[in-house]
Amino acid sequence: MLKNNKSVITITEDFDSVDVTTWALPEGAIARLGRGCHPDIAFSPDGRSLVIGNTLGLWVYDLETLSPVALWEAERGMTFRIAISPNEKWIAACNSDKILKVLDIQNGACLTQVKIDGYITDLTFSHDSQYFAAAYGNAPTAEVWHAETAKSVAKFTVDTEEESYDSPISFSPDTCLIAFSCSSSETDDAESIIVWDMESSEQIACLSAHTNWVSTLCFSPCGKFLASGGEDGTVYVWDVNTWQHVQCYSDYGNVYRIMPSWTPDGNLRAAIVHYDEAGPATISVRDLESGEELYNDQVWGNTVRFSRQSAWGNTVEFSNGSQLAYECRHDFINIRTPEYPYKRQFTHSPISFPDSTHSHAAFPTFAVFSDNGKTLAVKHHHEGVVLWDIESKRSRPAVKEESTGKNQFLYKTDSGKFYVASIKDDNVTLWEADGNGPPLIEGTGREYWSAPPALSPTGKLFAYADADGNLKVWDVQSGNQRYELTHPLEPNDEGDDDTICDLQFSNDGKILASESQSNSPQVILWDVELGEEIEASPSNTYTSILGWLVLRKLKPKSREVVHISHDRKYLSSLGNKSYLYDVKQDDYLSRLSLPKGLEEMFWVAEFSMCGKYFAAGTWWGEGMEKMVICLWEVETGKQIATFRGHPTDVHALAFLQTTNC
């Protein structure tokens, strides 16, 4: 039963007028285009709010309006596990630095924190809110802390060396028992449920019935039963007195995950994720005892992945037997609650709708400004390309056709035009970004694991590879295929098929370079005007093909990460020893100084359009609270600025071209 009192979370009164892109910005930043990825979800006890923890921090949404009302923990971010106390006082949140915090649920202030031993797979409060507990994924261990002090009060370890994939954890209603799962060292994939006595710290039960991972554990409100849901598509109900399973619910078809949850009055329900290789994935809610289906929704396609709290798949939260929140292919979060017993949906991806301002799942991997500086084009990992209007800070999809694939790639030609290649199944289409016309090219036969398609800098030629190493080269203006070139492939030592891992055009668009990744990786250069091979060379796996085309004339001291300036005058090499090269002089220009201890962390880099400046950003490493972006003057190699603001990996950099660059 939902309460009618005021929400326990303090919210902005006029949040509709608040620009969330400016919330909790680091010093010097003017906007945040996006809201983090890899969410964990929790309902507030009063049923009025939804808290989303992700790589950016903690977002709070009002469940009546489905609008964001607060952003907490943005200073560090990287929040992957959250739990809310039943007494409506605290939020427990754990980040990737292995810092477990207790926050004030009214305003997000940190009350106490503790350093933990490893990464956790689940986090929960006791029913009396006195304790919170976590299950560790790197060891068969659960730990319990006092909620107000974060002082460790108990630690339970199972005598096995097996790691748990997604171990759930649950307190009994009287806080006398705690249950969590661990992998079996004797049976592949199967997991056991371990029950401990909180007072004596003794293991009192080991429950073995599931033939696969256990994804959910929950005690009944009366405390007499424990329900477990597994990846085997089965729900078992265990008698707490005898520890025998007294009920088994199964036979729900193709089940990817089943998550039982008790209603406050003791009815057992389950959220079930169904998959069908020949059809769409769906999610349903069933009353297990009566078998009645209470809810059903098509999720997406036939390749969607789910997990309760996993960074690798779409998140599902099912609590109190009635509160359901789940991602739909990274585009939406869908909500169903007793107050609103039907699907409500709010957009959480900038890819699908023009008025969206964030994504909780996709992260950017490439960004570039338009020549006039009014638009920022961003490509997201395994997702679509978004065009941000800089003035309004609003986004729109670069390709408006609903039939196009969501796996998209972004290109900007020398003339300043944006193009997008979209992949759907084995079909490839090329579009002019932000246009209303038909695709410029429609091809088929592309291998899923093959290199991203390539567009020449001039915008005249387009190429992609199939599973057999055949390179299909198209004329963009006519929309016709010009050549089909064959790059020989060899199986690796394990017998796995080889594939084309990289495709790039030369600066003038006359040469196409293809790279395979077999036991002896090979780069082949093709004359695309004649359709002939012109050179073959062993590949350096640390050097991009485009960099190799220049570096074949040079012998740099470090060839770990290579970037080339837009005017093709300069080349960078990042690693233990980092340099800038003058391509025309075939010689070193200067050595770059990187922050001590972070030399191996710089992987993303970009030259300014004018070639005067060079910037590089770090990826996250344990102990790093803020990622570093360094800016250098190219001719002198002088570091002129250092920016620290991102709480996690810097995936993309883009310069805005100005007249005084």
Side-chain angles (χ1 to χ4, degrees), residues 517-565:
Q517 55 180 12
S518 62
N519 297 328
S520 301
Q522 188 179 50
V523 172
I524 298 179
L525 305 184
W526 309 87
D527 186 320
V528 288
E529 294 185 340
L530 301 176
E532 298 177 351
E533 179 182 341
I534 58 176
E535 184 177 352
S537 173
S539 166
N540 183 320
T541 56
Y542 295 103
T543 305
S544 69
I545 289 176
L546 191 57
W548 180 80
L549 294 175
V550 177
L551 284 175
R552 58 188 173 145
K553 292 183 178 181
L554 298 171
K555 294 183 179 180
K557 299 177 181 178
S558 173
R559 298 175 64 170
E560 278 139 354
V561 183
V562 174
H563 302 271
I564 295 177
S565 64

Side-chain angles (χ1 to χ4, degrees), residues 562-579:
V562 174
H563 302 271
I564 295 177
S565 64
H566 298 273
D567 56 12
R568 282 76 176 180
K569 292 181 179 180
Y570 304 108
L571 178 77
S572 72
S573 179
L574 296 176
N576 284 326
K577 295 181 180 179
S578 299
Y579 297 90

Side-chain angles (χ1 to χ4, degrees), residues 292-306:
E292 179 186 2
E293 184 176 80
L294 307 175
Y295 178 76
N296 189 291
D297 183 33
Q298 179 176 316
V299 183
W300 189 275
N302 58 358
T303 57
V304 70
R305 292 189 61 204
F306 279 90

Side-chain angles (χ1 to χ4, degrees), residues 62 75 101 133 148 162 175 200 243 276 328 340 381 389-390 471 477 510-511 535 577 585 589 637 655:
D62 179 83
E75 177 65 23
K101 295 183 177 181
E148 290 192 80
E162 299 296 317
T175 317
S200 66
W243 295 116
D276 187 341
C328 183
Y340 301 94
H381 178 65
D389 181 82
I390 300 301
L471 315 177
Q477 185 173 4
K510 295 181 180 180
I511 297 175
E535 184 177 352
K577 295 181 180 179
Q585 298 297 323
L589 185 65
F655 279 92

Side-chain angles (χ1 to χ4, degrees), residues 163-196:
E163 295 185 2
S164 295
Y165 172 76
D166 192 14
S167 180
I169 188 168
S170 180
F171 281 101
S172 63
D174 59 7
T175 317
C176 291
L177 304 176
I178 188 167
F180 64 99
S181 67
C182 68
S183 298
S184 171
S185 58
E186 299 178 356
T187 307
D188 292 341
D189 295 334
E191 287 193 337
S192 299
I193 301 164
I194 309 300
V195 184
W196 297 78

Side-chain angles (χ1 to χ4, degrees), residues 234-517:
T234 302
V235 171
Y236 287 99
V237 179
W238 308 83
D239 187 302
V240 170
N241 291 320
T242 65
W243 295 116
Q244 299 297 312
H245 63 78
V246 295
Q247 190 60 264
C248 174
Y249 300 98
S250 59
D251 300 326
Y252 297 110
N254 294 328
V255 175
Y256 183 82
R257 175 151 296 190
I258 187 166
M259 300 171 57
S261 177
W262 301 89
T263 64
D265 55 1
N267 291 328
L268 184 59
R269 296 174 177 174
I272 308 172
V273 181
H274 309 262
Y275 70 92
D276 187 341
E277 293 182 357
T282 61
I283 185 169
S284 66
V285 175
R286 287 180 178 270
D287 185 290
L288 294 184
E289 186 172 348
S290 68
E292 179 186 2
E293 184 176 80
L294 307 175
Y295 178 76
N296 189 291
D297 183 33
Q298 179 176 316
V299 183
W300 189 275
N302 58 358
T303 57
V304 70
R305 292 189 61 204
F306 279 90
S307 80
R308 180 182 180 276
Q309 296 177 325
S310 172
W312 306 110
N314 297 49
T315 303
V316 180
E317 172 67 12
F318 185 50
S319 59
N320 288 337
S322 56
Q323 296 175 314
L324 177 67
Y326 57 98
E327 279 189 286
C328 183
R329 192 55 172 85
H330 304 329
D331 290 338
F332 319 102
I333 289 180
N334 296 335
I335 304 291
R336 184 182 185 274
T337 62
E339 195 167 81
Y340 301 94
Y342 48 85
K343 181 176 74 174
R344 294 194 302 151
Q345 188 175 79
F346 65 91
T347 307
H348 78 144
S349 170
I351 298 161
S352 299
F353 293 92
D355 61 349
S356 172
T357 58
H358 73 293
S359 168
H360 277 307
F363 56 87
T365 57
F366 176 63
V368 61
F369 282 97
S370 60
D371 285 349
N372 62 13
K374 294 182 178 181
T375 302
L376 177 66
V378 181
K379 183 255 185 295
H380 290 78
H381 178 65
H382 287 315
E383 292 292 327
V385 174
V386 175
L387 302 179
W388 288 90
D389 181 82
I390 300 301
E391 184 176 355
S392 67
K393 290 175 282 192
R394 293 286 178 177
S395 66
R396 61 188 185 276
V399 179
K400 299 177 181 178
E401 294 292 327
E402 292 184 1
S403 60
T404 187
K406 290 179 61 59
N407 190 12
Q408 299 178 358
F409 302 89
L410 170 65
Y411 313 94
K412 183 181 179 183
T413 64
D414 291 340
S415 64
K417 282 188 175 182
F418 291 140
Y419 291 87
V420 175
S422 62
I423 310 298
K424 188 174 184 180
D425 301 323
D426 65 345
N427 299 314
V428 183
T429 51
L430 181 69
W431 309 75
E432 186 171 345
D434 218 20
N436 295 315
L440 304 174
I441 291 174
E442 296 181 89
T444 189
R446 179 186 178 272
E447 164 66 15
Y448 178 80
W449 294 110
S450 189
L455 181 70
S456 65
T458 59
K460 295 181 178 180
L461 297 176
F462 179 71
Y464 63 88
D466 66 15
D468 299 320
N470 298 314
L471 315 177
K472 301 182 180 183
V473 183
W474 298 71
D475 184 282
V476 174
Q477 185 173 4
S478 68
N480 297 322
Q481 184 173 322
R482 179 182 289 188
Y483 299 115
E484 184 169 304
L485 312 170
T486 301
H487 184 128
L489 301 178
E490 299 178 0
N492 60 23
D493 290 336
E494 288 74 32
D496 296 329
D497 293 336
D498 192 8
T499 187
I500 302 298
C501 62
D502 203 357
L503 277 176
Q504 292 193 40
F505 282 95
S506 60
N507 302 334
D508 57 11
K510 295 181 180 180
I511 297 175
L512 175 66
S514 59
E515 181 178 10
S516 59
Q517 55 180 12

